[in-house]
Amino acid sequence: MQEELEEEYEALNNVETLIEQLGKGQGLLINEPAGILSLLSDLKQAIGKIAPFGAKFERLDERVRSIFIEASDLSEELQNLHETVEPDPQQLELVNTKLQQLYDLRRKHGVESIEELIAIKENLEQKINVTEDLDAEILVRKQQLADYNTELLQKAALLSDRSKKILPQLTQRVEEALATLGMPNASFQISLTASTDFGNTGKDRLNFRFSANKGADYGELKKVASGGELSRIMLTIKAILAKYEQLPTMMFDEIDTGVSGEISNRMGEIMYQMSKHMQIFSITHLPQVASKGDHHFKVYKEDDENNTQTKIRALNENERVVELAEMLGGKSISDAALAHARELLN
């Protein structure tokens, strides 16, 4: 489209030159007695007389005739063009206006071709169509939203009913498990509070209130439980839930923080029992927990002149005994520490 307009503009803008040169060209072809067609006609007659004298003269005659035919056609086309080309100021102004609009649009949208402008036009048309249908689309979306909300409310109510039934059992099981971890008087109050928003627990929010000792007031778990108590509570809850969630792997990052001695041994035993039906990773500083694993990896750091690198290495049987002994008594390993390490592994 742009190329056609530019061609038309050039023709209209140079119409006087076109008329002049087309007339001149036509005159060169048909003027008598020295016009090109007159000369070619004489040439055609001359060569035609020698055409019967051999194949090469016949071929020459064919070429001359072909040139004469082409020149005749050219003369007719020049005549037609000369007769049709004429000044048209109004058309020139119209074409110039259209071209300027195209140039302005290309500059405005930062494109180089008509094809890119057409693509922009089609995109704008799509947006206009979307805007025209927007009210209808909004109504459809509102209805979908209402349907989803109704469905969510139904599922949230079902989830709330199930939670209310299971919470007493969960509370009892957590308290029983904590009793074996040195917290015989631990007591929980697990309740549900209605929320205006949906979440992982529907429209209820779980509230954990905790008391570690008889007669002590209940308080928010994260505020009243010590680090060691939180470690045991978290392990207990995870151990109970893991039986139902059927997770392939569970990782504990220093879940035994704040505990030691026999309690840490019992926590290690809980993780060991969990490992019978899932993969367990435990990051620990306690030898009682580390000794329960089927495999032992040591994480350590190495320094060079410019950097510190963290590395990990699988320990064999003897290395594991030494590592557990170091965890028990420090870098100065005693025979008693080695014996204790072997005892833990066995």
Side-chain angles (χ1 to χ4, degrees):
M1 177 180 179
Q2 180 178 329
E3 292 180 358
E4 294 173 357
L5 286 173
E6 288 174 340
E7 288 181 1
E8 186 177 0
Y9 175 82
E10 289 298 322
L12 290 169
N13 196 43
N14 297 279
V15 66
E16 291 83 2
T17 303
L18 285 173
I19 293 172
E20 179 183 352
Q21 298 305 317
L22 286 170
K24 183 177 180 180
Q26 186 182 14
L28 289 171
L29 283 168
I30 64 175
N31 281 346
E32 296 289 351
I36 294 174
L37 278 177
S38 178
L39 295 174
L40 283 175
S41 178
D42 293 343
L43 177 63
K44 179 168 69 73
Q45 290 180 7
I47 300 303
K49 292 178 180 180
I50 63 173
F53 300 156
K56 57 184 178 180
F57 302 113
E58 185 178 355
R59 288 194 298 270
L60 186 63
D61 180 61
E62 291 175 355
R63 292 175 62 188
V64 171
R65 289 177 181 277
S66 176
I67 293 172
F68 181 80
I69 293 171
E70 181 66 22
S72 298
D73 290 341
L74 182 59
S75 176
E76 291 180 7
E77 187 168 352
L78 283 173
Q79 182 178 355
N80 292 334
L81 288 173
H82 186 258
E83 291 174 354
T84 57
V85 172
E86 59 183 12
D88 191 343
Q90 292 182 344
Q91 182 64 14
L92 176 61
E93 180 63 25
L94 178 62
V95 171
N96 183 56
T97 301
K98 290 183 178 180
L99 278 174
Q100 290 305 316
Q101 289 176 341
L102 282 176
Y103 296 150
D104 291 342
L105 285 171
R106 281 173 45 186
R107 185 166 52 254
K108 176 181 178 180
H109 295 285
V111 298
E112 297 295 330
S113 67
I114 296 298
E115 289 73 20
E116 291 174 292
L117 279 178
I118 292 174
I120 292 173
K121 173 179 174 290
E122 292 175 349
N123 184 48
L124 290 174
E125 287 176 345
Q126 290 178 357
K127 290 182 179 179
I128 291 172
N129 292 335
V130 170
T131 302
E132 291 175 348
D133 297 336
L134 193 57
D135 290 339
E137 182 67 17
I138 289 174
L139 290 176
V140 172
R141 296 298 182 184
K142 283 184 176 180
Q143 185 57 51
Q144 288 180 342
L145 185 61
D147 294 341
Y148 291 147
N149 190 68
T150 300
E151 184 179 356
L152 281 173
L153 286 172
Q154 293 172 348
K155 292 184 176 180
L158 179 62
L159 184 59
S160 182
D161 290 340
R162 291 181 176 179
S163 297
K164 290 174 182 176
K165 292 178 181 178
I166 202 66
L167 284 182
Q169 300 177 40
L170 175 61
T171 302
Q172 181 181 355
R173 293 185 63 176
V174 171
E175 291 175 351
E176 290 174 351
L178 288 176
T180 66
L181 295 178
M183 299 172 64
N185 297 316
S187 178
F188 272 91
Q189 290 180 343
I190 307 177
S191 60
L192 297 175
T193 302
S195 172
T196 57
D197 301 320
F198 292 102
N200 293 336
T201 53
K203 293 201 72 173
D204 293 326
R205 297 295 177 264
L206 280 171
N207 300 305
F208 286 82
R209 295 177 62 80
F210 172 69
S211 173
N213 303 300
K214 288 183 178 181
D217 292 334
Y218 288 91
E220 190 176 350
L221 176 62
K222 62 181 179 181
K223 293 182 178 180
V224 301
S226 66
E229 289 169 343
L230 277 175
S231 297
R232 283 174 276 180
I233 292 168
M234 289 301 297
L235 177 62
T236 298
I237 292 175
K238 286 180 179 292
I240 293 171
L241 296 181
K243 295 179 180 179
Y244 301 95
E245 292 182 352
Q246 297 180 343
L247 298 173
T249 301
M250 187 172 288
M251 179 172 286
F252 296 110
D253 186 0
E254 298 189 9
I255 191 75
D256 45 28
T257 298
V259 300
S260 60
E262 179 58 27
I263 300 303
S264 63
N265 188 59
R266 292 178 185 175
M267 292 181 71
E269 182 62 29
I270 290 175
M271 285 184 264
Y272 173 73
Q273 293 300 325
M274 292 173 67
S275 71
K276 292 182 178 180
H277 53 85
M278 69 170 60
Q279 185 180 45
I280 297 293
F281 285 94
S282 178
I283 301 171
T284 182
H285 292 286
L286 296 180
Q288 294 89 342
V289 175
S291 64
K292 296 292 192 293
D294 296 320
H295 304 281
H296 193 155
F297 294 86
K298 180 177 181 178
V299 180
Y300 60 100
K301 293 182 178 180
E302 284 188 355
D303 296 329
D304 57 25
E305 293 181 357
N306 301 313
N307 299 295
T308 299
Q309 293 184 329
T310 301
K311 297 185 176 182
I312 186 170
R313 180 167 61 88
L315 303 180
N316 60 33
E317 188 74 18
N318 293 330
E319 291 172 333
R320 193 173 183 187
V321 171
V322 173
E323 181 65 24
L324 288 175
E326 286 188 4
M327 294 171 74
L328 286 164
K331 292 294 183 181
S332 300
I333 301 174
S334 64
D335 292 339
L338 288 171
H340 191 184
R342 294 188 183 95
E343 182 180 353
L344 285 175
L345 286 173
N346 293 326

